[in-house]
Structure formats: structure tokens, C-alpha cells
């Protein structure tokens, strides 16, 4: 089966060259465009497509403390961590907003499983930062989901009270903040209420590149950047044939860590994982500003009118701020600018003015800070019909594994999902014993669900 998956205009889905420059790629690692060998190897035990957090974490869990390591080739269409991981907010927490949806659709046990999985992710990544001595600005903090309208604040409080009433023990780390103290504690102007929970922020590009550099230094992993996969097919002898412009590789197993680009190389996911274009920014304050703003001790969600119109905001240790979202500025316009769009070489300029004033408009003490956008970029996420990633063995595809389609919320999911995929491969485990939340399993039933256009 070849990978000639198309979008509506007849164009192949693949990472484009000349992508916009995100802040996270302003300090490049020497491994950024690395190739382990001049020529592609002819074959391997495991071939991983994608060198972002998903692909590199899978390789790490396959090789770390493995006395009989498999031969692994890691292919990346562009540079290491140039896709969604290098374009996100650099932030992870257990998303309390998912709880009601999961309880309603899958039951309390599935919600508990998901929340504890996300919470464990923070400490698992913190542990590997410490174990591998990664210099990636990892900071454990609190996340403050703020409500800027009274109606949404009341809705959040109602759901929180209902969760307490039915005894959801897995939300113990979530703290509700009412209107009396919300503005003062958060520093967000006019905050009507919200919730806080533990969070981890880090520099995602540095986490991924330094972790990959550790593997290159101490294992035999073969990394090949600027090597786009054109197709993956099965040979009569049971091997997978992975074709690239530089030649073909025979692989016993293939891992699709390709997120929003997956349909371009695995057509079974056409209209199942759809590329969505989003935007993010880095905001800085002039060093000579006469009105230095106060330090912000939380990371934030700013709900202007519910989660559909929400910004995420991560104050950096150096005083800069990452802010993403601004959906109200462009999502009601031409849908082609963002839906089924895999081109991150162009900006969504409508969002710039929103980001230019988001700090002054919403945070106490920032009115005269001079805060301004110095980086604006776009990134491609993988969107699925039910809002959950596709993970595990791909149905009807022998020895194909996937972890992709994170709906813009991959950071609190990926690292331990990659560990689960690695366990399935290393120990020949079924999905149900992998430790990955049950609702992530890719199944024939889920593959019948198209993303609404």
C-alpha cells in the first residue's frame, strides 16, 4: 500500500520546507540536521518516522536499559523537532477539563486512568531530565485555568462540585478558586474564578534534541534528518519497505510518530487524523522598560468565553512569555486557512494584533510594560474525530504501530504513551497491558469515524 494520501486540492500531505521559525528553535543543537551515516542503511529491526517528542521518546524507551537493543533507524522529513513539538507551548498538566467528557462517554474508571496517566507524565519527564542531565528549563509549577466570564465561571464551579459530590478521588490535585480571590491570586484582570493544578513547563526542543543526543552517544541508533518518507508497503517476505527520495529501507516494524502528517504515509488515516494549522507567539519585555511587570508564578489558560475561545500562556524563567491561541481572530473566517492545512511556512497574521496586547489587556501590572511579540509562528497538529490520539497496533497493517493525533494536547500524553508503545514492541505485549489509556487504542471502529469537515 503506497502513501499517496491527498487533501482536497490534490496535494500530498507532507512537512513543507521553509517553515516559520518558532522561538524554541532560536537556539539550535548540533544534532538538528544530523545524519549518522552518509548513506541510508539497508534494513533495521524498527524504523521510526518522525523525530519529535513521540519518535525520540519511543526510541529512548526502546533502547534505555535494554541489554539486547534492536537496530533502530529514526527518519525525519526536516530537522529534529521541527514539527508540532518544536511549535507548542512547552507545557504539560493533567487536563481537568476532560473529566466530564470522559466520565460521560467512557465511565469513571476511564477518566481516572486518563487523569493519573497525565499526572504521571509530568514526573516521568522531570525524572528523565534529572537522570540524563538535560538542560531544558524544566520547572514544576501550578497551572491556573481562569474564567473571564461569569457564566463560564459558574459552569466550571458546577462541574467541580458535581465531581466532588460523586467522589472522584483522582481530582485531589485540582483546586477551585472562587471569585473572591481569583483576580488577586492569578493576576488576571477580571478573573471570575478558575481551577489550579500541578504543571511542568520546559523548552521542548532542548528536551528532545538533548535526549536524542544521549542516544546517539551511547547506542547504535541511526538518525537521518531531511529524509521524507514517501511510502510504506509490505513485501512478500513479511518485511516493510519504507521508501524515501534517498532510497528504500527494509524494516521489520514501523512506528508512525508523524502526528498531523500521518495520512500522507498511512492512507488508512485519511480523514481520521486531519492536519490543523494553529498559531503561537513569544512575547518579550524591553530590558529598559520604565515599568517592569510583576513576575507571574503560574502558567495559564485564559478562557475568554469557554474553551473554544481560549489562550494558553506560559511565563518563561527569563521573563519572556509564550502565548498561543487567538482562535477568535481567524477561525470564523476562511476555514481553508487552518482546517486540513499542513503548511506551516506561512503565518496567521490576523493573530498578531491579539498577541501584541494580550499581556497588557489581561494581566495586572503589565499595562505599561512595553510587552511585544518578537516571534510569531504556526504549527500543525493532528486532529481526530473523537478528540483522542490513535495509539497501538494499526489494524490490518502487519507490524505497524502508531502514536499520533493529539488534538493539540500532546505534551501531557506523549512520553508515557511512547513508553507503552516501546513495551508493546520490546515485550510483545497487547495494548491492554501497555499502560496507555484505553480510550487511545486505535481500532477498526474508531477508523470508521471521519473528522467532520
Amino acid at each position: 500500500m503506497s502513501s499517496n494520501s491527498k487533501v482536497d486540492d490534490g496535494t500530498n500531505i507532507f512537512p513543507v520546507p521553509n517553515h516559520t521559525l518558532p522561538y524554541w528553535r532560536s537556539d539550535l543543537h548540533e544534532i538538528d540536521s544530523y545524519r549518522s551515516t552518509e548513506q541510508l542503511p539497508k534494513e533495521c529491526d524498527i524504523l521510526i518516522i518522525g523525530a519529535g517528542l513521540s519518535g525520540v521518546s519511543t526510541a529512548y524507551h526502546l533502547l534505555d536499559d535494554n541489554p539486547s537493543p534492536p537496530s533502530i533507524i529514526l527518519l525525519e522529513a526536516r530537522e529534529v523537532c521541527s514539527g508540532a513539538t518544536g511549535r507548542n507551548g512547552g507545557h504539560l498538566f493533567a487536563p481537568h477539563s476532560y473529566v466530564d467528557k470522559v466520565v460521560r462517554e467512557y465511565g469513571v474508571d476511564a477518566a481516572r486512568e486518563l487523569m493519573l496517566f497525565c499526572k504521571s507524565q509530568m514526573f516521568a519527564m522531570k525524572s528523565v531530565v534529572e537522570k540524563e542531565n538535560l538542560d531544558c528549563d524544566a520547572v514544576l509549577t501550578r497551572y491556573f485555568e481562569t474564567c473571564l466570564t461569569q457564566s463560564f465561571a459558574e459552569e466550571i464551579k458546577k462541574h467541580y462540585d458535581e465531581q466532588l459530590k460523586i467522589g472522584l478521588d483522582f481530582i485531589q490535585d485540582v483546586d477551585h478558586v472562587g471569585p473572591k480571590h481569583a483576580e488577586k491570586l492569578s493576576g488576571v484582570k477580571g478573573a471570575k474564578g478558575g481551577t489550579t493544578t500541578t504543571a511542568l513547563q520546559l523548552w521542548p526542543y532542548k528536551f528532545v534534541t538533548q535526549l536524542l543526543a544521549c542516544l546517539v552517544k551511547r547506542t547504535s541508533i541511526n538518525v537521518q534528518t531531511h529524509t521524507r518518507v514517501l511510502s510504506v508497503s509490505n513485501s512478500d517476505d513479511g518485511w516493510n519497505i519504507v521508501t524515501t527520495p534517498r532510497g528504500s529501507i527494509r524494516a521489520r516494524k514501523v512506528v508512525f510518530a508523524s502526528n498531523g502528517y500521518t495520512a500522507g504515509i498511512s492512507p488508512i488515516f485519511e480523514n481520521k487524523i486531519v492536519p490543523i494549522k494553529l498559531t503561537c507567539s513569544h512575547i518579550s519585555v524591553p530590558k529598559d522598560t520604565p515599568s517592569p511587570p510583576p513576575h507571574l508564578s503560574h502558567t495559564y489558560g485564559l478562557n475568554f468565553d469557554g474553551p473554544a475561545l481560549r489562550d494558553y500562556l506560559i511565563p518563561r524563567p527569563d521573563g519572556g512569555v509564550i502565548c498561543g491561541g487567538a482562535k477568535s481572530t481567524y477561525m470564523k473566517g476562511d476555514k481553508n486557512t487552518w482546517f486540513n492545512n499542513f503548511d506551516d511556512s506561512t503565518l496567521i497574521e490576523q493573530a498578531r494584533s491579539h498577541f501584541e496586547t494580550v499581556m497588557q489587556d489581561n494581566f495586572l501590572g503589565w499595562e505599561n510594560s512595553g510587552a511585544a511579540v518578537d516571534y510569531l509562528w504556526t504549527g500543525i497538529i493532528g486532529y481526530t474525530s473523537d478528540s483522542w490520539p490513535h495509539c497501538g497496533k494499526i489494524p490490518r497493517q502487519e507490524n505497524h504501530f502508531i502514536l499520533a493525533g493529539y488534538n493539540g494536547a500532546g505534551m501531557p500524553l506523549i512520553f508515557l504513551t511512547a513508553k507503552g508503545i516501546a513495551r508493546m514492541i520490546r515485550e510483545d505485549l497487547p495494548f491492554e497491558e501497555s499502560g496507555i489509556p484505553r480510550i487511545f487504542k486505535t481500532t477498526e471502529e474508531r477508523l470508521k469515524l471521519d473528522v467532520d469537515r
Side-chain angles (χ1 to χ4, degrees):
M1 181 181 292
S2 65
S3 65
N4 295 318
S5 181
K6 309 283 184 179
V7 291
D8 290 342
D9 64 358
T11 306
N12 284 317
I13 298 174
F14 61 87
V16 301
N18 303 317
H19 48 82
T20 54
L21 177 65
Y23 170 78
W24 302 124
R25 290 183 52 80
S26 62
D27 183 11
L28 297 182
H29 193 282
E30 61 185 12
I31 208 169
D32 191 64
S33 291
Y34 182 77
R35 287 181 178 176
S36 299
T37 55
E38 184 176 344
Q39 302 297 322
L40 289 181
K42 296 298 184 183
E43 65 182 40
C44 63
D45 295 321
I46 303 165
L47 187 143
I48 300 172
I49 304 171
L53 182 59
S54 291
V56 172
S57 297
T58 301
Y60 180 78
H61 291 302
L62 283 166
L63 294 169
D64 187 47
D65 296 327
N66 191 340
S68 302
S71 58
I72 295 178
I73 297 174
L74 179 66
L75 299 184
E76 169 55 50
R78 300 188 300 203
E79 303 86 6
V80 173
C81 202
S82 59
T85 305
R87 298 170 183 278
N88 64 27
H91 187 221
L92 56 155
F93 60 95
H96 175 246
S97 57
Y98 288 172
V99 171
D100 292 322
K101 171 182 170 64
V102 181
V103 170
R104 183 172 62 251
E105 297 180 5
Y106 304 99
V108 171
D109 288 344
R112 177 184 292 105
E113 184 179 54
L114 175 62
M115 287 291 286
L116 295 180
F117 182 77
C118 292
K119 185 176 181 180
S120 297
Q121 205 98 205
M122 293 180 285
F123 302 114
M125 292 184 74
K126 178 176 178 290
S127 293
V128 81
V129 166
E130 294 163 350
K131 175 184 176 181
E132 303 293 353
N133 196 27
L134 307 181
D135 180 13
C136 60
D137 294 350
V139 178
L140 202 61
T141 184
R142 293 288 288 184
Y143 170 74
F144 208 132
E145 185 80 42
T146 58
C147 306
L148 297 175
T149 62
Q150 188 63 40
S151 59
F152 190 61
E154 291 173 356
E155 182 181 341
I156 290 293
K157 179 63 164 65
K158 177 184 175 183
H159 290 322
Y160 182 75
D161 288 344
E162 290 173 349
Q163 292 163 8
L164 292 179
K165 186 175 180 180
I166 63 176
L168 299 187
D169 58 339
F170 52 88
I171 66 166
Q172 291 175 338
D173 188 50
V174 179
D175 182 33
H176 182 267
V177 180
K180 182 178 180 179
H181 299 298
E183 184 178 70
K184 187 71 172 177
L185 288 176
S186 67
V188 176
K189 296 179 185 179
K192 303 297 190 292
T195 56
T196 74
T197 189
T198 302
L200 178 70
Q201 63 167 301
L202 48 75
W203 192 308
Y205 173 85
K206 290 185 177 182
F207 179 93
V208 170
T209 53
Q210 291 176 31
L211 191 63
L212 181 56
C214 290
L215 293 180
V216 168
K217 182 177 181 179
R218 66 174 183 245
T219 75
S220 60
I221 187 173
N222 191 294
V223 179
Q224 297 288 333
T225 61
H226 300 283
T227 305
R228 180 163 65 91
V229 173
L230 301 175
S231 66
V232 180
S233 58
N234 301 117
S235 64
D236 293 337
D237 59 3
W239 287 74
N240 296 287
I241 308 301
V242 180
T243 303
T244 81
R246 300 174 57 212
S248 297
I249 303 170
R250 286 159 49 90
R252 295 196 179 277
K253 293 180 172 65
V254 177
V255 177
F256 293 82
S258 38
N259 205 27
Y261 302 103
T262 301
I265 47 179
S266 184
I268 194 173
F269 288 99
E270 186 170 6
N271 298 330
K272 319 302 177 186
I273 299 179
V274 171
I276 299 291
K277 183 174 179 175
L278 299 179
T279 188
C280 193
S281 67
H282 178 268
I283 299 165
S284 63
V285 175
K287 293 182 179 180
D288 59 352
T289 180
S291 301
H295 171 70
L296 299 176
S297 58
H298 294 82
T299 59
Y300 295 87
L302 300 180
N303 283 278
F304 299 105
D305 191 16
L309 296 176
R310 172 185 175 276
D311 282 1
Y312 57 87
L313 190 144
I314 300 92
R316 297 267 306 125
D318 63 3
V321 176
I322 299 292
C323 185
K327 293 179 181 179
S328 63
T329 66
Y330 67 91
M331 280 202 165
K332 293 181 180 179
D334 181 5
K335 197 172 183 179
N336 291 325
T337 63
W338 57 272
F339 184 84
N340 218 10
N341 187 326
F342 57 90
D343 183 1
D344 59 7
S345 69
T346 59
L347 297 173
I348 300 176
E349 281 291 351
Q350 303 96 304
R352 186 185 294 273
S353 60
H354 174 88
F355 292 137
E356 288 284 7
T357 62
V358 69
M359 299 306 298
Q360 293 91 328
D361 292 346
N362 294 286
F363 286 88
L364 298 169
W366 284 72
E367 294 84 354
N368 300 308
S369 64
V373 172
D374 53 6
Y375 286 85
L376 181 68
W377 65 90
T378 51
I380 308 304
I381 69 166
Y383 186 79
T384 66
S385 61
D386 57 8
S387 301
W388 308 118
H390 281 278
C391 303
K393 282 189 174 182
I394 300 177
R396 307 193 303 276
Q397 305 293 317
E398 188 66 27
N399 291 320
H400 288 190
F401 297 79
I402 186 170
L403 61 166
Y406 297 104
N407 298 274
M411 287 290 282
L413 306 176
I414 291 173
F415 191 68
L416 292 183
T417 296
K419 183 176 183 178
I421 296 296
R423 290 190 67 207
M424 290 178 69
I425 296 172
R426 280 179 66 164
E427 304 171 42
D428 195 26
L429 292 178
F431 179 91
E432 290 71 19
E433 297 178 23
S434 68
I436 303 172
R438 68 193 74 177
I439 58 179
F440 294 2
K441 183 178 181 179
T442 187
T443 63
E444 292 281 7
E445 287 301 311
R446 290 187 68 202
L447 288 174
K448 293 176 183 177
L449 304 174
D450 283 348
V451 173
D452 291 337
R453 293 178 178 272

